[in-house]
Amino acid sequence: TNWFQGPTPLSMTDTLMYSRCTESRGPKRHKTTTTDGFDYEKELLSLSLSRESMTRNGYPSLNGELILKSKDCQTIRQESLLPMQEANQDSLLPLEEAKRFVARHTVEVDFGEEGRHRGTFVASIHHPHCLPRIFSLDCEMVKTSEGLELARFTLLRLESVDGDKISDTIVLDKLVKPYHAVVDYVTEYSGITQEQLDPVETRIEQIEAFLLARVHQEDYLVGHSLENDLIALRFFHPNVIDTAVLFSSKKGRKYSLQRLAGWLLDRKIQVGSHCSVEDARSSLHLAVRRAQNGPSFRILDSSKNSVSLLDTLVCDGRDVVCIGPIQWLKSHASSSAHAVACEDINDPNNAVVGVWMKRSEKRPVIVWANLEADVSSPDTINKFLLELFTDFLPGTVVGVGFQWDPRQSLEAKELKDVRQNPRSTLSWTSQDEDKLQREVEKCRSGRMCWVGVRSV
């Protein structure tokens, strides 16, 4: 059987569990709620990307722990950066001094899909006695003879959250002169014109030095598709909150910042062109609202044109059991369903599938299991199914489906959307497209069989 039609990969769960609505309806706008005593710092920090997620989304990453070349935090004071921290936002180090400083704080990192690119980046510095702070960052780029280069840098700091009131400070907002000739100012997206950029003297090393002085390794950076900004800055930082990932759909689709701000904040942004201050502030407010309201603060798109079979059964008061990996349970199990974590058919917990299916009392109307299996070990699969089919109760119907894991194709499709964004510093090549199509075709085809036990 074909599990899906068209170029967008779907899992068996997406195909079998969800049915089309008879009435077309768009995503619902979420009403913001506030909580007294909200610890925004603690909740926000919990939204940061894991190392695996950062690598998967093309962020600069290191093999192993970060080892800095700085002797200790006194290095910053010795190199005259402490006065800059206390001065106004226009206080940047002179260019040559900035170059010398950032050269002593570099690391080799991998970035891009599967870490296929490698480069020398500036790395944020560890401050053992500093409490984490929350910043929001956004960059605008222009196209030069060497590709996309930084042309505007904006850094905001979150100061306080009081209910619906979110206070921030503009730490730095600077235009930056690229080193190579500009071939396209992409004003529609960057908001930058030749007239604005021609007289600018600030260079990227001065921005990197400023970041080293202001943003410590323990701090958190908020942004939208922030990997593009960090790659443009050639800056490595381990703690990021990415609103593109945070608000992605259950199928991995990433929404534009403009759409998220419009639907969730009821705010119009990027009208005419982009403004990095506006974008940084919108990302920050989205992250704070998510921390306040939890996972329900999102575009409700997973069922915007479909209804979950499990949700329907639960609403009718029927017992439903979901068994599978934790992430799958979070995405598809109804909040009122019995949920049991089990990673694959080799998991010792796999016996729970048969236990629930063969119950005679309080028997669930449906047991939905989603388990990984190694196709190179057919004996293991056969043993699992044989044990499952033994001693079924009369009236039981079992459907067994097989599909190549669609996650790789979903991630590749997501990467394609990111790379084809005009702001992306990396391109989508014909080789990338060929690889995507191969992955899509592998998970499109599958097998499905039904086994029934007649009622006595």
Side-chain angles (χ1 to χ4, degrees), residues 85-294:
Q85 289 182 309
E86 297 169 348
N88 62 54
Q89 65 160 310
D90 291 324
S91 298
L92 295 177
L93 283 177
L95 179 56
E96 293 306 314
E97 188 175 346
K99 286 181 177 180
R100 288 193 297 270
F101 178 67
V102 299
R104 290 193 289 271
H105 298 279
T106 58
V107 292
E108 291 296 313
V109 304
D110 300 318
F111 62 94
E113 182 188 5
E114 300 176 352
R116 66 168 62 176
H117 301 283
R118 189 163 182 81
T120 302
F121 279 41
V122 179
S124 53
I125 300 172
H126 173 53
H127 282 240
H129 305 298
C130 292
L131 294 175
R133 300 164 298 172
I134 298 165
F135 294 89
S136 186
L137 186 153
D138 189 78
C139 296
E140 303 295 348
M141 279 75 84
V142 295
K143 290 183 179 179
T144 72
S145 56
E146 294 297 315
L148 291 176
E149 289 192 52
L150 181 69
R152 184 178 177 182
F153 169 84
T154 298
L155 184 70
L156 308 182
R157 176 178 173 177
L158 178 61
E159 299 294 346
S160 63
V161 177
D162 183 10
D164 284 335
K165 186 178 180 181
I166 302 172
S167 300
D168 63 67
T169 299
I170 299 177
V171 181
L172 186 69
D173 181 29
K174 276 284 189 182
L175 290 171
V176 183
K177 188 84 165 183
Y179 276 105
H180 301 94
V182 178
V183 297
D184 188 352
Y185 289 86
V186 286
T187 306
E188 178 185 357
Y189 300 101
S190 68
I192 296 171
T193 64
Q194 180 178 356
E195 291 74 22
Q196 291 174 311
L197 206 54
D198 277 349
V200 173
E201 297 181 354
T202 303
R203 296 289 191 175
I204 186 173
E205 292 87 354
Q206 293 170 282
I207 301 299
E208 292 171 336
F210 187 89
L211 270 173
L212 283 173
R214 289 298 184 104
V215 178
H216 309 150
Q217 193 181 129
E218 292 73 22
D219 295 331
Y220 286 73
L221 291 176
V222 179
H224 192 80
S225 293
L226 194 57
E227 75 278 7
N228 295 323
D229 303 284
L230 294 179
I231 291 172
L233 283 163
R234 313 291 290 181
F235 192 79
F236 173 81
H237 189 73
N239 300 319
V240 299
I241 300 170
D242 188 337
T243 52
V245 177
L246 186 62
F247 289 96
S248 61
S249 72
K250 292 180 179 180
K251 296 178 182 178
R253 176 185 178 187
K254 292 182 179 180
Y255 297 105
S256 69
L257 182 60
Q258 183 183 47
R259 184 175 183 186
L260 289 173
W263 284 72
L264 297 176
L265 302 177
D266 199 20
R267 179 183 302 171
K268 290 184 178 182
I269 66 170
Q270 300 173 356
V271 178
S273 63
H274 290 226
C275 169
S276 54
V277 173
E278 182 181 62
D279 289 355
R281 184 164 288 137
S282 296
S283 296
L284 183 60
H285 287 205
L286 282 166
V288 171
R289 293 291 180 238
R290 177 60 169 261
Q292 285 180 313
N293 293 280

Side-chain angles (χ1 to χ4, degrees), residues 263-333:
W263 284 72
L264 297 176
L265 302 177
D266 199 20
R267 179 183 302 171
K268 290 184 178 182
I269 66 170
Q270 300 173 356
V271 178
S273 63
H274 290 226
C275 169
S276 54
V277 173
E278 182 181 62
D279 289 355
R281 184 164 288 137
S282 296
S283 296
L284 183 60
H285 287 205
L286 282 166
V288 171
R289 293 291 180 238
R290 177 60 169 261
Q292 285 180 313
N293 293 280
S296 63
F297 183 73
R298 60 185 174 88
I299 292 181
L300 303 178
D301 74 320
S302 63
S303 58
K304 66 180 180 180
N305 289 316
S306 61
V307 174
S308 167
L309 170 62
L310 302 190
D311 287 343
T312 301
L313 292 171
V314 167
C315 289
D316 289 341
R318 314 295 289 274
D319 285 334
V320 171
V321 178
C322 291
I323 303 167
I326 293 175
Q327 191 57 50
W328 180 85
L329 292 173
K330 288 180 178 179
S331 298
H332 299 288

Side-chain angles (χ1 to χ4, degrees), residues 64-83:
E65 297 299 320
L66 176 60
I67 301 175
L68 296 173
K69 296 181 179 179
S70 307
K71 293 181 180 179
D72 51 39
C73 61
Q74 291 295 324
T75 304
I76 290 183
R77 293 174 175 80
Q78 294 169 357
E79 293 175 350
S80 303
L81 288 178
L82 186 61

